[in-house]
C-alpha cells in the first residue's frame, strides 16, 4: 500500500509516493539549564541583540556597546553634505509646524505656552543621539497633552494652585520616562502590544473629537468653560454661553484661519510636491493673525490673546519634582498611563516610517531613548514628549535622512525662545484653537474603523469601547475600557480555541477544514479534528468537551445516513505549539472516554515540544507509539484497512 510522504513539520498535507512510514521523532533532550536559557532568549532576546558583538576584539565591543546606546555614533561616520541639506530643509519645515502647535498643545495640558516650546527643544536633542528612527519628529502631541492635563487636573486645580500643578506635571513626565526606559531596558516592549491597533484607533479618534470640542472655548471666545472632557459637559458649556459668552470677532478670526488651514491641508494631500503648504500654514496663520490683532487692538474688543511668554531656554526643574508626599504616588500613576499612550504612539510611528524606507528599528532601544528624553525633559522644565505623526509625515515628505532634522528643529525652537517669544503676545487664542482642530482631525480614521469592523467584530468592540468611553465618561476611562476589552479578547481566544473537522480534498491526499472547503470528503468511520491552539489549563476542558461534541454530532450524522460507525478519532496537532500538564490530562481523559466507546485515539503530527511532553508524561506509551503519526494521510492510510477488517 502506498504511504504518505509528509511535509517537514508541516500541516496535514501528504504525498503518497513512498512505501516507508516515518515515525514521529522524539526531539533531542535538552538539559534544564539549556531549556531555560532558550526560553528566556526567545522571550526577551528574540532579535539577538548581541549578535554583532560575536568574534569582535575588546575595543570593538566597547565601541559597539557605546554605539548601541548612542546610534548617532554609527550613522554620523557616513554623514555627508547631501544628507545635511535634506535634514536642514526637513528641520526648518517641521519647526514652522511645531512652534504654533506647541503653544496650543501646552494649553491642552493646562500649562503656559512656553512649556510646549521647551518640550520641543531638549527632548528632540536627546532623542537624536539615542533614537534609531530616522524620520520621527519629537515633541508634544495633542492626545498626550490632553491626557496629561485631564489626569493632573483631577488631582490639582491648575488655576488655584498653578505651582503645585506644574510640579505634578513634571513629576508625571519623569515617571513616564522611567516607565518607558524600564520597559526597554528590561526588554518588556511587547507589553504595549496589549493595547491593540483597534483600541488605539478608537481612543485616538474620540480623543481627537474631545480635543476639538475643548477648543471651542478659544474658538468662540468663551471665558467660563467646563474642566470636564465628556461631551455632555462640554456642549452644556458651549450652549450655556451662547447668549452672552460668545465673541463674534473671535469667531470670525477662528473660522477664517481654520478654513485656510483645511484648504492648505487639502492642497498638500492632493499634490505631494506641495507638502510644505500645510506645514507652513500654521506659522503663516499665527504671524498674520498676530499682526492683525496688534494693529486693530482686537484684544480690547474681547478677543483673547496669549499675552506674555517668557524669553529664554529651559530652566532647570530638578527641585520641582515630587519624590514624597501626597502627590508622589499620583505622579507615578499619571506618568504610567500617559507614558503608555505616548510610547504606543511613538513606536507605531517609528515602525510605520521604517517600513516605508525599508530599514529596521529596535523597539526596545526606541523605548530607552524615549524614556531617557522624558526623564531629562522633566529635569529641564518639559512635559511629556513623544513622536508626532503629522510632523513625522512632514519630516518624511520633506526628505529627511537622519535625526539631524530633530536637531535643526530644536535649534530653531531655541532661537524662538531666546529672541521671538515677545512677538507672540498678541497671538489670538482662536488661531491656536484653529491650528489644534485642523491637526487633530487627521486622527479620526473612519476608513480604519470600517476595516476593523469587516475583519474582526471583537476588535471593533474594543475600538468602540474606547471611542464611547472617552465621549461619555473621560479620557482615562475610555483608555481603560479599550485595554479591558483587548484583554478580554485575548482571554477569549486562549480559553476558546478554534477546532475544525477535516476532510480529504478530491483527487489529493490533502486534508482541510470542511467548512472552508465544502467539497472536502469525510472518511467513513474516521473523524479527523484539528485543534488550532496550544492546550493549556485555561482551555483544556473546553478542548476535550468540544471534541466529544464533534464526535456526538458526527455519530448522529453517520447513523442518520446509514454510514459506518466512527471507530477512529484522529487529532491533527500541528497547530498545537505547546501543551501543559492539564492539557496532557485532558488528552488522557479523552483517550479513556474513547476506549469505553471502543474507539481508538490517533494523534497526527505533534510538534517537538508536544512530542517531548507526551513521552515525558508516559502518555505516548499509554496510547502506543503506533498511534502517533507524522501526518493525517499516514494515519488514514493505516486506519482504513483496520476499519475494513472490523466491518468484515
Amino acid at each position: 500500500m502506498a504511504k504518505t510522504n509528509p511535509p517537514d513539520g508541516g500541516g496535514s498535507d501528504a504525498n503518497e509516493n513512498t512505501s516507508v512510514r516515518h515515525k514521529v521523532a522524539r526531539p533531542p533532550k535538552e538539559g534544564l539549564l539549556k531549556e531555560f536559557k532558550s526560553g528566556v532568549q526567545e522571550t526577551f532576546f528574540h532579535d539577538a541583540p548581541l549578535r554583532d558583538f560575536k568574534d569582535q576584539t575588546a575595543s570593538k565591543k566597547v565601541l559597539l556597546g557605546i554605539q548601541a546606546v548612542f546610534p548617532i555614533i554609527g550613522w554620523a561616520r557616513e554623514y555627508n553634505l547631501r544628507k545635511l541639506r535634506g535634514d536642514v530643509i526637513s528641520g526648518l519645515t517641521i519647526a514652522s509646524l511645531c512652534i504654533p502647535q506647541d503653544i496650543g498643545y501646552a494649553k491642552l495640558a493646562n500649562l503656559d505656552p512656553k512649556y510646549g516650546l521647551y518640550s520641543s527643544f531638549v527632548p528632540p536633542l536627546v532623542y537624536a543621539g539615542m533614537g534609531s528612527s530616522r524620520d520621527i519628529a519629537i515633541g508634544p502631541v495633542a492626545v498626550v497633552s490632553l491626557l496629561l492635563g485631564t489626569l493632573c487636573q483631577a488631582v490639582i486645580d491648575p488655576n488655584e494652585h498653578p505651582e503645585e500643578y506644574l510640579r505634578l506635571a513634571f513629576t508625571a513626565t519623569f515617571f513616564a520616562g522611567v516607565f518607558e526606559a524600564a520597559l526597554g531596558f528590561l526588554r518588556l516592549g511587547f507589553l504595549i502590544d496589549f493595547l491593540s491597533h483597534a483600541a488605539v484607533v478608537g481612543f485616538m479618534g474620540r480623543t481627537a473629537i474631545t480635543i476639538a470640542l475643548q477648543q471651542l472655548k478659544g474658538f468662540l471666545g468663551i471665558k467660563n468653560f467646563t474642566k470636564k472632557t465628556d461631551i455632555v459637559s462640554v456642549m452644556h458649556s458651549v450652549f450655556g454661553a451662547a447668549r452672552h459668552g460668545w465673541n463674534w470677532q473671535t469667531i470670525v478670526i477662528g473660522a477664517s484661519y481654520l478654513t485656510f488651514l483645511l484648504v492648505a491641508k487639502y492642497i498638500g494631500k492632493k499634490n505631494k510636491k506641495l507638502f510644505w503648504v500645510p506645514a507652513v500654514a500654521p506659522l503663516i496663520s499665527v504671524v498674520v493673525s498676530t499682526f492683525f490683532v496688534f494693529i486693530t487692538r482686537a484684544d480690547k474688543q474681547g478677543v483673547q490673546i496669549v499675552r506674555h511668554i517668557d524669553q529664554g531656554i529651559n530652566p532647570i526643574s530638578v527641585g520641582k519634582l515630587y519624590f514624597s508626599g501626597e502627590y508622589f504616588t499620583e505622579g507615578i500613576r499619571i506618568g504610567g498611563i500617559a507614558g503608555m499612550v505616548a510610547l504606543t504612539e511613538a513606536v507605531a510611528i517609528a515602525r510605520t516610517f521604517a517600513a516605508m524606507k525599508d530599514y529596521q528599528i529596535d523597539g526596545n532601544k526606541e523605548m530607552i531613548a524615549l524614556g531617557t528624553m522624558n526623564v531629562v525633559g522633566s529635569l529641564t522644565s518639559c512635559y511629556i514628549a513623544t513622536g508626532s505623526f503629522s510632523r513625522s509625515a512632514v519630516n518624511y515628505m520633506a526628505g529627511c535622512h537622519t535625526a539631524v532634522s530633530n536637531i535643526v528643529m530644536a535649534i530653531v525652537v531655541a532661537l524662538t525662545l531666546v529672541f521671538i517669544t515677545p512677538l507672540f503676545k498678541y497671538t489670538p487664542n482662536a488661531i491656536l484653537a484653529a491650528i489644534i482642530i485642523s491637526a487633530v482631525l487627521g486622527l479620526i480614521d473612519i476608513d480604519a474603523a470600517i476595516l476593523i469592523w469587516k475583519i474582526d467584530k471583537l476588535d471593533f468592540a474594543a475600538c468602540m469601547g474606547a471611542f464611547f468611553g472617552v465621549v461619555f465618561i473621560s479620557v482615562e476611562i475610555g483608555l481603560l475600557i479599550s485595554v479591558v476589552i483587548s484583554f478580554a479578547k485575548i482571554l477569549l481566544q486562549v480559553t476558546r480555541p478554534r477546532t475544525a473537522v477535516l476532510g480529504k480534498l478530491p483527487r489529493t491526499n490533502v486534508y482541510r477544514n470542511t467548512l472552508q472547503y465544502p467539497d472536502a470528503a469525510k472518511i467513513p468511520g474516521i473523524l479527523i479534528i484539528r485543534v488550532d491552539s496550544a492546550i493549556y489549563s485555561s482551555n483544556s476542558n473546553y478542548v476535550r468537551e468540544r471534541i466529544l461534541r464533534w464526535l456526538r454530532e458526527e455519530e448522529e450524522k453517520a447513523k442518520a445516513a446509514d454510514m459506518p460507525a466512527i471507530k477512529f478519532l484522529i487529532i491533527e496537532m500541528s497547530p498545537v505549539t505547546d501543551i501543559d500538564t492539564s492539557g496532557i490530562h485532558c488528552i488522557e481523559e479523552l483517550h479513556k472516554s474513547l476506549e469505553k466507546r471502543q474507539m481508538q485515539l490517533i494523534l497526527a503530527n505533534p510538534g517537538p515540544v508536544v512530542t517531548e511532553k507526551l513521552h515525558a508524561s508516559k502518555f505516548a506509551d499509554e496510547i502506543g507509539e503506533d498511534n502517533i503519526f507524522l501526518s493525517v494521510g499516514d494515519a488514514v492510510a493505516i486506519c482504513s484497512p483496520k476499519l475494513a477488517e472490523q466491518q468484515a
Side-chain angles (χ1 to χ4, degrees), residues 63-322:
L63 180 61
L64 288 173
I66 297 173
Q67 187 175 313
V69 180
F70 301 101
I72 190 173
I73 296 173
W75 55 259
R77 293 196 297 265
E78 302 173 358
Y79 205 67
N80 54 46
L81 288 176
R82 181 184 64 84
K83 292 181 178 179
L84 178 61
R85 183 179 61 183
D87 287 338
V88 169
I89 293 173
S90 300
L92 293 173
T93 306
I94 58 176
S96 68
L97 178 61
C98 85
I99 291 171
Q101 284 186 345
D102 291 345
I103 295 173
Y105 292 163
K107 287 184 172 293
L108 285 178
N110 301 312
L111 298 170
D112 288 340
K114 62 184 178 182
Y115 294 108
L117 295 172
Y118 290 164
S119 302
S120 278
F121 173 45
V122 173
L125 292 177
V126 176
Y127 181 85
M130 300 184 67
S132 57
S133 173
R134 305 170 194 167
D135 304 278
I136 195 171
I138 297 297
V141 297
V143 172
V144 177
S145 298
L146 177 67
L147 183 60
L148 179 68
T150 302
L151 294 174
C152 289
Q153 186 176 258
V155 179
I156 302 175
D157 190 310
N159 297 317
E160 294 181 6
H161 306 285
E163 187 61 29
E164 289 80 2
Y165 180 90
L166 181 62
R167 293 184 64 186
L168 180 61
F170 289 159
T171 304
T173 300
F174 177 84
F175 284 107
V178 169
F179 173 78
E180 292 168 341
L183 282 181
F185 184 76
L186 298 175
R187 304 189 69 80
L188 296 173
F190 59 86
L191 293 178
I192 67 171
D193 294 332
F194 283 108
L195 192 61
S196 67
H197 171 68
V200 171
V201 168
F203 177 75
M204 291 293 188
R206 189 56 196 105
T207 303
I209 296 175
T210 298
I211 292 171
L213 291 174
Q214 287 281 319
Q215 297 316 299
L216 292 177
K217 175 185 178 182
F219 195 85
L220 302 175
I222 301 172
K223 293 182 179 180
N224 298 317
F225 202 74
T226 181
K227 296 176 182 178
K228 298 179 180 179
T229 59
D230 64 280
I231 190 171
V232 176
S233 300
V234 171
M235 297 313 294
H236 183 269
S237 287
V238 170
F239 291 109
R243 173 169 288 188
H244 302 293
W246 294 9
N247 180 274
W248 71 266
Q249 295 97 329
T250 301
I251 296 172
V252 170
I253 293 172
S256 300
Y257 286 100
L258 178 59
T259 302
F260 169 69
L261 292 169
L262 293 177
V263 170
K265 183 175 286 190
Y266 177 80
I267 292 172
K269 188 176 181 180
K270 283 295 181 181
N271 189 341
K272 299 298 182 184
K273 292 182 179 180
L274 297 177
F275 67 88
W276 54 270
V277 173
V280 301
L283 188 59
I284 293 173
S285 301
V286 168
V287 172
V288 175
S289 63
T290 301
F291 180 71
F292 174 79
V293 171
F294 175 72
I295 63 174
T296 62
R297 295 315 306 263
D299 55 308
K300 301 293 185 181
Q301 305 299 320
V303 175
Q304 298 175 30
I305 57 176
V306 171
R307 299 191 184 280
H308 179 69
I309 299 180
D310 292 338
Q311 278 184 276
I313 60 174
N314 309 32
I316 301 300
S317 56
V318 177
K320 293 187 176 182
L321 271 63
Y322 288 114

Side-chain angles (χ1 to χ4, degrees), residues 50-66:
L50 301 179
R51 61 186 180 279
D52 294 335
F53 291 80
K54 190 176 182 181
D55 301 327
Q56 299 290 346
T57 62
S59 59
K60 182 67 172 177
K61 287 180 179 178
V62 171
L63 180 61
L64 288 173
I66 297 173

